[in-house]
Amino acid sequence: MDVQNLLKAGAATVRIGVGLLVIVASPSVTAFLAWFAISAVLELLAFAVVTHRVIPALGFRPYFSLAAIRSVWRFSLTMAVIAILSMLITQLDRLFVSKLLTLSDLGYYTLAYTAGVGISLLQMSINTASLPAFAEAAALRPEALAERYSKVSEVMAYAIALPSAVLVFFGSDILRVWISADGARAAGAALMLISAGCFLNAVVSSAYIASVATRRAGIPAIVNAIAILVYVPALYLLISGYGIVGAAACWMLLNIFYLCSLLPAVHRQVVHAPLASWLWRCLAVPALLAIAVFMPLKSASASLSNEAATWIALAMAVAIYAVGGYLLMSPGLRTELSKSGFLALIALRKRAA
């Protein structure tokens, strides 16, 4: 995992860094996209070389293996179906907005979507690390998978609830720094709903990762197939009636659907863990804590109508949530996080020495 992350981070840094130089030297879209294509080839070569060094038995000479395809084709096909459905679900909202509303509405919605979906970067980092951990636990015994799934879900919920609450309650204030006050007002309500939907999406994502790690990808594939049948007409109706707020509301409703369909199926068929206690610990408690901390501080800052008061309230809310979230975590998880942080500190000191 550390080698993979170094490669991915290095490739992204080179791609963007050199890309900026290309824009300065030759300010054209063609030159910029040509560099992106070249950088993709370089990234592929880097992965090939590093993989060969990690697994020397793997040669560079390509060959066809029918046995390998037979062993994975069903799983690979299911993952391809999930990828296609996910692509449609995540792109259709902006497509509908562009067709049904004005160009300015599309700009405001894209702004809100970009700000809200930024939360998924933290979600992706946790999911990337949890996939091999779930696969390893499932290979040991079912109880190990349930235990690890519970811990990852709790970490995910507390970690994502913080940036989600920031955008739900202080999103318009943050947008005012980024764009004009009018733009912040136009995109603020959509940002609130998108951020709330992203929190629900992150909470459910551990269930998706658990199903993939145990080769039960058919569960999310079926759920996504049902979802898109309902999502498309609902998206059209809500956007036609309520504009970009309707599009954002449809995203939140979609994730509520996942919460009510994918989550129970995975708990019943994959992790075999009680759902009610999980929902309380990994959804209700982090969400209620965020609301209890952020809502009164936002209301207090709004009543003062002072820019400095807004940022002080935001800083206080983040600090209080961080302390409260740590104290409300399961005792075993707190111990494990403290131990991991202590070991990381020792490793940093050794490297510095």
Side-chain angles (χ1 to χ4, degrees):
M1 293 297 296
D2 55 345
V3 174
Q4 180 191 17
N5 288 335
L6 284 172
L7 280 171
K8 292 172 71 174
T13 303
V14 171
R15 179 178 293 117
I16 296 172
V18 177
L20 293 174
L21 296 177
V22 170
I23 291 175
V24 173
S26 177
S28 70
V29 174
T30 303
F32 183 69
L33 294 179
W35 160 245
F36 260 57
I38 294 170
S39 68
V41 174
L42 295 176
E43 182 180 1
L44 177 62
L45 291 175
F47 268 97
V49 171
V50 172
T51 303
H52 178 71
R53 294 193 62 179
V54 173
I55 311 174
L58 283 178
F60 285 106
R61 182 179 177 183
Y63 63 94
F64 183 81
S65 173
L66 188 60
I69 293 176
R70 284 173 177 168
S71 66
V72 299
W73 77 267
R74 292 181 185 274
F75 181 76
S76 298
L77 180 61
T78 305
M79 293 302 297
V81 170
I82 292 175
I84 293 171
L85 292 174
S86 298
M87 181 182 66
L88 289 173
I89 288 172
T90 55
Q91 299 296 327
L92 280 175
D93 54 350
R94 277 154 292 168
L95 178 63
F96 274 52
V97 168
S98 68
K99 297 297 182 182
L100 298 174
L101 304 177
T102 64
L103 184 60
S104 60
D105 288 328
L106 176 62
Y108 292 137
Y109 183 75
T110 302
L111 173 67
Y113 184 88
T114 303
V117 174
I119 298 170
S120 64
L121 295 175
L122 177 58
Q123 174 186 338
M124 287 171 60
S125 66
I126 297 174
N127 285 339
T128 301
S130 63
L131 178 59
F134 286 170
E136 180 190 35
L140 295 174
R141 64 186 192 281
E143 295 80 8
L145 173 61
E147 180 181 354
R148 192 162 293 180
Y149 168 79
S150 177
K151 289 180 179 178
V152 169
S153 298
E154 195 170 354
V155 169
M156 177 74 80
Y158 279 105
I160 299 298
L162 177 56
S164 298
V166 169
L167 293 180
V168 167
F169 292 99
F170 290 88
S172 294
D173 302 299
I174 295 172
L175 287 180
R176 277 203 305 273
V177 178
W178 191 2
I179 58 172
S180 65
D182 291 337
R185 280 193 295 271
L191 177 57
M192 288 178 61
L193 294 170
I194 289 173
S195 302
C198 287
F199 170 69
L200 296 176
N201 186 271
V203 169
V204 179
S205 66
S206 295
Y208 166 75
I209 296 298
S211 64
V212 172
T214 55
R215 299 175 68 91
R216 304 292 297 275
I219 299 173
I222 293 172
V223 170
N224 268 344
I226 297 171
I228 200 165
L229 294 176
V230 181
Y231 182 65
V232 172
L235 193 61
Y236 177 83
L237 293 173
L238 287 174
I239 292 176
S240 299
Y242 302 97
I244 64 172
V245 174
C250 200
W251 164 249
M252 189 176 70
L253 291 172
L254 173 67
N255 287 289
I256 292 174
F257 169 76
Y258 287 143
L259 189 70
C260 298
S261 56
L262 178 62
L263 194 64
V266 171
H267 273 249
R268 184 174 61 254
Q269 301 179 40
V270 179
V271 297
H272 306 291
L275 182 59
S277 58
W278 186 95
L279 286 171
W280 171 253
R281 190 177 65 257
C282 300
L283 174 63
V285 174
L288 291 172
L289 172 65
I291 293 170
V293 171
F294 279 83
M295 183 179 287
L297 285 170
K298 171 59 180 177
S299 299
S301 65
S303 64
L304 295 174
S305 300
N306 184 283
E307 192 73 19
T310 298
W311 302 118
I312 292 172
L314 174 58
M316 289 177 60
V318 170
I320 295 171
Y321 175 88
V323 175
Y326 180 78
L327 295 176
L328 287 173
M329 283 183 181
S330 302
L333 183 58
R334 283 205 309 270
T335 302
E336 196 166 322
L337 289 174
S338 300
K339 183 179 178 181
S340 299
F342 180 70
L343 293 176
L345 181 61
I346 292 176
L348 287 173
R349 286 181 176 177
K350 286 183 177 180
R351 287 185 181 182

